Amino acid sequence: MPEITRFYGIVIKMFFGDHSPPHFHSIYGEYNALIGIESLQIIEGDLPNRAEKMVLEWATLYQKDLINIWNSQEFIKLPPLK
């Protein structure tokens, strides 16, 4: 599973050929969540509140890029949240 980015101890990854709906994985320590790219909501799993807010802020900034990665299945790294 390619790593898209990493910030503040949070790792964002995406499985190519994974099940619908389009989503990415967010891993923070022992927490793991699947985030819907279109809805920007947690589909499965959980994150601490602060980490969830940062992930959703980052995903809002790069939502179009995430959709392009999902659709093209071409790996690119995206900038971290600053």
Side-chain angles (χ1 to χ4, degrees):
M1 172 166 47
E3 183 177 303
I4 304 294
T5 195
R6 177 185 296 252
F7 52 88
Y8 303 109
I10 301 166
V11 180
I12 306 295
K13 296 183 175 188
M14 189 180 296
F15 283 113
F16 294 120
D18 209 352
H19 59 86
S20 289
H23 65 276
F24 61 89
H25 297 251
S26 177
I27 302 150
Y28 180 65
E30 63 196 44
Y31 298 92
N32 190 347
L34 274 65
I35 314 291
I37 297 171
E38 294 169 346
S39 67
L40 295 179
Q41 294 183 350
I42 293 179
I43 298 170
E44 184 179 307
D46 65 340
L47 292 169
N49 193 33
R50 187 165 181 241
E52 180 180 344
K53 287 179 182 178
M54 288 190 287
V55 168
L56 296 180
E57 179 183 347
W58 175 85
T60 300
L61 295 171
Y62 295 104
Q63 188 174 23
K64 289 180 184 176
D65 296 300
L66 290 165
I67 286 288
N68 288 338
I69 292 169
W70 180 272
N71 289 332
S72 69
Q73 301 209 356
E74 290 182 31
F75 171 73
I76 60 168
K77 282 195 82 79
L78 296 175
L81 184 65
K82 296 180 182 180

